[in-house]
Amino acid sequence: MPELPEVETIRKDLQEKITYKQIKDVIVNISKIIKKPSLEEFITKTKDKKIKEIDRRGKYIIIHLDSEDKLIIHLGMTGLLIYPYNKNSKEILEGEIKAKHNHLVFTFTDDTQLVFNDVRRFGKIFLVSNIDEIESISKLGIDPLEDYFTEEVFIQVLNKKKKGKIKPFLMNQKFITGLGNIYANEVLYRSNIHPLRLISSLIEEEVKNLYQQIKLVLSEAVELRGSTVADEAYRDTDGEKGKFAKKLQVYARKGEPCIKCGHPIEVVRIEGRSSFICPQCQKL
Ligand SMILES: [Zn+2]
């Protein structure tokens, strides 16, 4: 599932590639992906509009149109935004990205196309005049890639959930937005903190360390254009895989030796998700 670095990669790509383009035609193949407004209204309000800029809130990509409406895209589990969409591209030929999953196609006035492809169909698309009309966005917590995410701010947010456990806290979008299972595992391992540790039990140095690792891991992952682990769906707008997967130190490394102490990496289930840990480096 795309997390913050993957969504930020796509945002940056789109900002570079489609800003100032004008939408000539809109094709919606699966109407249920348009959550708001009606399909007819969605088409009339996007047709002929120009793209002003591409923004992001947590894992939501926000495309500002010159009408002042905002086109909001959440990739869900397997959503891809491909631009320019080219039927002869390598991925299509290899059959990795199948045209039957192209649920939304924008054609710009220069005849290039932006395609939203989503195999599992958990993706969501909205068109609103005010972003906060979407409840799940208005409730999002702090964004760890923004400048305002300082150590002081991190401590303030941690203090809201002192009795909670650290990994579920990191993955709760109401506190910190954008961290999912991959990056929560990575930052905890790199900070030597067991995912089930109570927030109240963390000492000052651990909090400092964790804060720094969140900044470090996420910025490096953005630089390497996100992670595509094994058979995961994530691709950038060119259809390319994210290169941070090679840098993962604990995620998806079950049974392999810990790079710090050599103990085999173990998996524990926490709230239905696999947590990868080194039981020697991350003690409860
Ligand atoms: Zn270890």
Side-chain angles (χ1 to χ4, degrees), residues 95-107:
E96 277 190 34
I97 300 170
K98 293 192 169 61
K100 67 175 178 181
H101 301 300
N102 291 347
H103 303 322
L104 173 70
V105 181
F106 284 121
T107 305

Side-chain angles (χ1 to χ4, degrees), residues 15-51:
Q15 174 75 23
E16 202 174 290
K17 292 173 167 183
I18 66 164
T19 309
Y20 308 123
K21 288 194 188 288
Q22 185 174 12
I23 299 167
K24 185 172 76 174
D25 200 17
V26 186
I27 298 169
V28 179
N29 293 320
I30 300 284
S31 58
K32 75 161 210 160
I33 59 157
I34 311 294
K35 301 298 175 192
K36 213 177 186 176
S38 66
L39 181 59
E40 293 70 31
E41 208 182 322
F42 179 84
I43 291 172
T44 24
K45 286 187 164 174
T46 47
K47 220 173 168 176
D48 300 325
K49 302 300 178 293
K50 273 188 188 155
I51 311 287

Side-chain angles (χ1 to χ4, degrees), residues 189 192 257-265 277-282:
Y189 170 76
N192 295 331
C258 166
I259 59 166
K260 293 184 268 194
C261 76
H263 192 288
I265 300 296
I277 59 158
C278 168
Q280 208 134 260
C281 297
Q282 295 164 278

Side-chain angles (χ1 to χ4, degrees), residues 23 44-53 55 57 62-72 126-134:
I23 299 167
T44 24
K45 286 187 164 174
T46 47
K47 220 173 168 176
D48 300 325
K49 302 300 178 293
K50 273 188 188 155
I51 311 287
K52 262 173 66 184
E53 64 166 324
D55 198 359
R57 289 256 195 112
I62 300 171
I63 301 177
H64 294 261
L65 303 179
D66 62 350
S67 58
E68 302 305 322
D69 277 335
K70 285 94 185 159
L71 174 66
I72 301 178
F126 309 84
L127 185 81
V128 292
S129 53
N130 179 359
I131 295 166
D132 290 323
E133 279 177 51
I134 300 161

